[in-house]
Amino acid sequence: RDSKVRQNIWEAENFINYKKNLENVKIVRDRLKRPFTYAEKILYGHLDKPHEQDIERGVSYLKLRPDRVACQDATAQMAILQFMSAGMPQVATPTTVHCDHLIQAQIGGPKDLARAKDLNKEVYNFLATATAKYNIGFWGPGSGIIHQIVLENYAFPGALLIGTDSHTPNAGGLGQLAIGVGGADAVDVMADLAWELKAPKIIGVKLTGKLSGWTSPKDVILKLAGILTVKGGTGAIVEYFGEGVDALSCTGMGTICNMGAEIGATTSVFPFNPSMEAYLNKTSRASIAEFANLYQKDLLSADEGAEYDQLIEIDLNTLEPHVNGPFTPDLATPISKLKDVAVEQGWPLEVKVGLIGSCTNSSYEDMERSASIARDAMAHGLKSKAIYTVTPGSEQIRATIERDGQLQTFLDFGGLVLANACGPCIGQWDRRDIKKGDKNTIVSSYNRNFTARNDSNPQTHAFVTSPDLVTAFAIAGDLRFNPLTDTLKDKDGKEFKLAEPTGLGLPIRDYDPGMDTYQHPPEDRASVVVDVSPTSDRLQLLTPFKPWDGKDGIDMPILIKSLGKTTTDHISMAGPWLKYRGHLQNISNNYMIGAINAVNGEANNVQNLYTGVWNGVPETAISYRDEGIRWVVVGGENFGEGSSREHAALEPRFLGGFAIITKSFARIHETNLKKQGLLPLNFVNHDDYEKINPTDVISLLGLKELAPGKNVKMVVRPKDGEAWETELSHTYNNEQIEWFKYGSALNKMAAAKK
Ligand code: MIC
Ligand code: SF4
């Protein structure tokens, strides 16, 4: 148990710290004297100060020391720009950057990749040089999607990882606690500060029975999303256990953890088990598996009698395949009901496009199962009726399925193999089969399906489900098709039923690594020059925000009162805007353009309170800012749900916003707002949201006395009529209040260094 085992095959200097982790757990156990869940062991094992840390689930802020940081290209730009302002020679915690979000799907893998390399040259060059300079591992375009690469290379049981992407929890499939954060949080850890997380509650999900037939791991999380809804996991870690766990593949567990992001969970995790061992062995990490086995009982699983804050049981024997959507990932419909519901709801019945792969579902097992369905259809003379796209999660998966034949099957089936990248999942999709505004249905094996996400068409009804079902729908071309009960007609008009999908969890031979896409930081880093052109429209160095002037916010206009769901895709749209992720000024022109104005039910059309002029949201914000007028935003429930993109917080700060007042926030977005020096506040009384008119002005009083647990006084002054007063709550602790006072967390960090 004392051996030195490397964390991965890429970094010779980083070792696994089980011994230290276990010592920490013992310290905390002596203090709390109770059994721990697995997630708690990982958290407490990574405490900065286990002796003195306050620990109350759902209450205390934990100070943690993560093992590593991972960033994807769309968020890494801003993270690295912030890290550069911190003025450190290199990162203090092992970090990698992954190029996956900026590749647009158009005509197929190799050509799309070449096009992306050309279009994004400046950004890739910035990331390649900055990573080299600051001692960060760099996975270039074509290497694959961050979460797949992390699972294949960096994740290990018992580790704590933070990643600047909300689907970082994918690595929970390998027993790691992997948490999505904003870039500013990542910068703290890169700069050797402890990372802060509100001690999560733990939701236990007990799996019994065994999956079979058309049901797959994805259905566990689709079902759970239906039970818990998009905010049911807020402030909690979902920890799986029970005998049903052992029959799942490691990548299947990854899928379940990945989409835990859609229920707002801090992360999701499975205890170390034989499937993880098998996966580690197959991915050249047998020594880690062996080492983990030595710690399985005391560190890498829950204690007997561990208590959960909430308990849910799912019986895999009776679990049906599910299809979730449209427009929200928690609208879960079991396949047996889908036909009726779809007709009743008037969802377009023709399936136009089936998309498999993405970070959620692109394992060898997923590919093999879908290929088995495609082969069966082709044996009956059928091909895909719908457009069918395949997104391998990594170059390793692509190369392996090319070698083993599944890729050829997809091509024969009529499929289009896209680059190893996010592609249509994040709106990087040059879709041409329909016109913008046409009502239509697409079905994917992805995780998210917010309005307009994939193709910028608000009329696209996007459903998420398993790759198996996507493939079946693509063959039938109809959303009413239930492969468990319905027949298809073969080429001679004879009826037949598709055979149940089959497939190995892992390839028989070792994975084929494919092309070499990894750049290790060089020995001589001092001489590396990082270029940011002052005239670039894609990259812009950051200027520190001004500190708080010590004054209350008085009579501030409401930039927009947003109606209904306000996700990060509404606040800072992706797709075409991804190209400005390194340029704060340019990307700010998309602020809230997808949000619906409560006044007129329209997107991106708000009225300037003082001039009466109707204009876009960013334009109106800029006109307030340039007049020196601070403004607020009013919003509803789970505001900022979805992505980790901190642009959704940087933009309102850059545009002169002061406070964001909502019924509730999604975790990452709330932290991002605090870090950038905005005030995220919540209505104590949810009815106040209704009471506020967008033409009212808002005062926030007593901010000098802002303190943990103490509500903020808000006075609302309507245009005509009496002013009224109410209270807003917040989740600030003392240190975070400093971020507000300094103008941002980064300003605070810079001040501390002086
Ligand atoms: C997403 O799935 O929405 C993204 C794009 O991966 C985001 C990150 C981003 O906006 O850059 C996420 O999930 O955090
Ligand atoms: Fe990329 Fe989609 Fe995964 Fe986000 S959810 S990392 S956009 S594949």
Side-chain angles (χ1 to χ4, degrees):
R1 293 196 5 148
D2 280 336
S3 11
K4 276 186 118 181
V5 176
R6 277 166 62 171
Q7 288 188 8
N8 54 66
I9 61 168
W10 305 104
E11 299 158 349
E13 63 287 2
N14 297 324
F15 299 95
I16 296 180
N17 254 332
Y18 286 156
K19 205 169 160 207
K20 167 89 188 310
N21 299 149
L22 190 58
E23 277 164 22
N24 281 1
V25 171
K26 284 187 175 143
I27 295 169
V28 180
R29 194 194 309 285
D30 284 345
R31 293 176 47 207
L32 301 188
K33 304 201 177 11
R34 62 171 173 82
F36 292 148
T37 70
Y38 177 42
E40 283 185 290
K41 287 188 192 176
I42 304 183
L43 286 173
Y44 306 156
H46 289 83
L47 281 175
D48 190 31
K49 296 190 174 126
H51 286 287
E52 35 197 89
Q53 170 74 57
D54 275 343
I55 299 169
E56 193 182 336
R57 296 199 312 219
V59 179
S60 339
Y61 279 91
L62 303 179
K63 296 257 187 201
L64 299 159
R65 291 284 174 181
D67 295 296
R68 51 186 318 121
V69 180
C71 306
Q72 42 90 338
D73 50 3
T75 48
Q77 299 168 60
M78 209 43 96
I80 289 181
L81 286 165
Q82 293 179 77
F83 182 76
M84 285 166 68
S85 355
M88 309 215 1
Q90 64 171 68
V91 291
T93 308
T95 302
T96 50
V97 165
H98 305 263
C99 296
D100 52 3
H101 279 62
L102 300 178
I103 302 169
Q104 193 193 43
Q106 195 176 54
I107 41 186
K111 290 218 172 90
D112 292 350
L113 179 61
R115 199 167 140 259
K117 282 186 179 165
D118 186 41
L119 276 173
N120 302 310
K121 205 183 202 140
E122 184 185 6
V123 170
Y124 290 148
N125 185 43
F126 167 70
L127 291 175
T129 49
T131 49
K133 176 134 201 109
Y134 298 111
N135 204 21
I136 298 171
F138 178 68
W139 289 80
S143 57
I145 308 171
I146 176 170
H147 312 304
Q148 191 63 36
I149 308 260
V150 166
L151 196 74
E152 287 170 356
N153 295 277
Y154 297 105
F156 61 88
L160 179 67
L161 166 98
I162 60 167
T164 59
D165 189 280
S166 65
H167 293 104
T168 304
N170 189 65
L174 200 37
Q176 163 159 4
L177 218 54
I179 303 182
V181 298
D185 274 25
V187 171
D188 282 355
V189 175
M190 292 175 187
D192 209 22
L193 297 181
W195 172 63
E196 206 182 61
L197 176 75
K198 179 95 153 277
K201 298 206 176 227
I202 316 280
I203 300 176
V205 176
K206 183 171 177 190
L207 300 180
T208 60
K210 196 166 182 264
L211 292 175
S212 64
W214 284 89
T215 310
S216 77
K218 184 72 165 277
D219 299 302
V220 173
I221 185 64
L222 294 172
K223 166 91 187 167
L224 193 63
I227 299 173
L228 284 174
T229 80
V230 289
K231 54 183 209 308
T234 310
I237 293 178
V238 180
E239 179 168 324
Y240 292 87
F241 65 98
E243 93 265 1
V245 166
D246 288 337
L248 298 173
S249 63
C250 173
T251 50
M253 294 186 278
T255 297
I256 296 173
C257 293
N258 176 302
M259 207 182 147
E262 269 53 64
I263 55 173
T266 301
T267 190
S268 304
V269 72
F270 281 84
F272 180 56
N273 64 18
S275 304
M276 295 181 192
E277 183 173 350
Y279 185 77
L280 285 168
N281 288 336
K282 255 294 163 243
T283 49
S284 315
R285 292 174 289 173
S287 54
I288 298 185
E290 204 182 309
F291 197 41
N293 268 312
L294 302 178
Y295 283 87
Q296 191 270 337
K297 265 232 111 38
D298 43 8
L299 188 64
L300 302 178
S301 55
D303 289 334
E304 187 107 13
E307 282 187 19
Y308 298 92
D309 297 282
Q310 183 183 350
L311 200 63
I312 294 170
E313 196 168 316
I314 297 180
D315 177 6
L316 303 182
N317 289 330
T318 57
L319 180 65
E320 268 194 73
H322 278 66
V323 178
N324 289 21
F327 308 122
T328 182
D330 58 354
L331 185 57
T333 311
I335 188 73
S336 61
K337 305 245 164 64
L338 184 65
K339 195 178 300 180
D340 293 342
V341 176
V343 172
E344 200 182 285
Q345 297 292 327
W347 296 334
L349 299 172
E350 184 193 351
V351 173
K352 288 274 187 195
V353 191
L355 309 102
I356 68 163
S358 94
C359 69
T360 323
N361 268 122
S362 61
S363 64
Y364 191 81
E365 183 178 38
D366 292 331
M367 294 296 148
E368 176 54 19
R369 283 172 68 97
S370 282
S372 81
I373 303 169
R375 280 193 292 265
D376 186 34
M378 288 193 286
H380 290 91
L382 301 184
K383 287 190 177 189
S384 181
K385 205 174 203 169
I387 295 172
Y388 186 73
T389 71
V390 180
T391 306
S394 68
E395 169 60 7
Q396 173 161 298
I397 287 288
R398 192 208 57 77
T400 308
I401 63 172
E402 177 170 62
R403 180 195 68 195
D404 293 353
Q406 297 90 343
L407 201 118
Q408 191 55 47
T409 302
F410 293 135
L411 295 174
D412 297 343
F413 179 60
L416 175 65
V417 179
L418 301 172
N420 316 317
C422 300
C425 178
I426 189 53
Q428 291 280 30
W429 186 17
D430 184 12
R431 187 175 177 193
R432 299 198 172 158
D433 64 301
I434 54 148
K435 286 199 305 294
K436 220 4 167 334
D438 286 356
K439 194 166 164 186
N440 76 104
T441 284
I442 63 173
V443 182
S444 80
S445 72
Y446 306 167
N447 42 24
R448 239 169 226 168
N449 54 357
F450 302 143
T451 308
R453 175 173 170 97
N454 303 115
D455 59 359
S456 326
N457 178 3
Q459 288 302 324
T460 293
H461 290 52
F463 296 85
V464 289
T465 183
S466 66
D468 307 349
L469 250 58
V470 172
T471 308
F473 284 128
I475 297 165
D478 196 305
L479 196 60
R480 284 166 298 186
F481 179 61
N482 177 354
L484 283 77
T485 55
D486 299 351
T487 54
L488 293 166
K489 287 211 170 76
D490 73 8
K491 63 173 185 317
D492 306 318
K494 263 199 14 232
E495 301 209 358
F496 77 101
K497 248 176 93 177
L498 284 174
E500 287 172 355
T502 53
L504 295 168
L506 295 167
I508 296 172
R509 289 155 64 192
D510 280 349
Y511 281 100
D512 180 339
M515 273 173 331
D516 183 8
T517 48
Y518 173 66
Q519 169 191 291
H520 197 68
E523 284 295 317
D524 170 24
R525 292 193 303 278
S527 61
V528 179
V529 180
V530 184
D531 253 352
V532 178
S533 155
T535 57
S536 168
D537 71 340
R538 300 209 47 184
L539 296 165
Q540 183 185 46
L541 292 174
L542 294 169
T543 318
F545 295 127
K546 289 216 181 73
W548 179 49
D549 59 9
K551 295 193 190 128
D552 284 344
I554 303 292
D555 288 343
M556 296 177 288
I558 298 169
L559 176 65
I560 178 172
K561 174 178 170 183
S562 80
L563 194 67
K565 215 174 171 62
T566 312
T567 70
T568 41
D569 281 349
H570 298 96
I571 304 174
S572 175
M573 214 170 254
W577 292 91
L578 280 173
K579 62 171 177 292
Y580 297 125
R581 285 291 185 83
H583 198 294
L584 182 53
Q585 184 173 354
N586 286 347
I587 196 149
S588 294
N589 291 327
N590 80 355
Y591 182 56
M592 285 291 249
I593 62 175
I596 301 302
N597 182 358
V599 180
N600 51 9
E602 287 175 37
N604 205 21
N605 192 14
V606 296
Q607 190 176 28
N608 184 312
L609 191 65
Y610 307 107
T611 62
V613 174
W614 289 86
N615 207 339
V617 186
E619 291 78 5
T620 308
I622 290 170
S623 62
Y624 286 148
R625 181 194 60 194
D626 293 351
E627 293 292 325
I629 300 167
R630 297 187 287 190
W631 47 263
V632 304
V633 162
V634 172
E637 203 97 64
N638 208 22
F639 191 93
E641 158 189 357
S643 158
S644 67
R645 61 189 77 139
E646 65 193 316
H647 306 77
L650 279 158
E651 292 175 27
R653 182 73 169 95
F654 180 74
L655 296 171
F658 190 68
I660 312 290
I661 305 166
T662 68
K663 291 187 191 171
S664 63
F665 286 103
R667 172 187 63 92
I668 305 179
H669 185 58
E670 182 177 32
T671 309
N672 285 344
L673 289 169
K674 288 180 186 169
K675 287 228 144 170
Q676 302 306 341
L678 279 134
L679 283 172
L681 302 169
N682 290 134
F683 295 109
V684 172
N685 177 0
H686 278 198
D687 297 339
D688 289 346
Y689 170 84
E690 311 300 338
K691 268 175 80 181
I692 291 187
N693 276 312
T695 50
D696 298 349
V697 288
I698 304 261
S699 300
L700 299 171
L701 305 177
L703 293 179
K704 275 219 169 81
E705 285 82 51
L706 187 64
K710 192 174 153 216
N711 289 342
V712 169
K713 187 154 113 184
M714 170 168 83
V715 175
V716 182
R717 193 187 310 281
K719 215 158 151 202
D720 342 274
E722 283 279 294
W724 51 280
E725 196 182 301
T726 186
E727 296 210 338
L728 302 172
S729 62
H730 63 81
T731 60
Y732 276 98
N733 62 24
N734 279 321
E735 198 180 317
Q736 296 170 338
I737 291 174
E738 297 287 291
W739 302 342
F740 169 67
K741 292 188 172 157
Y742 276 88
S744 72
L746 206 58
N747 287 356
K748 166 89 200 305
M749 191 199 293
K753 277 192 30 226
K754 275 187 202 139

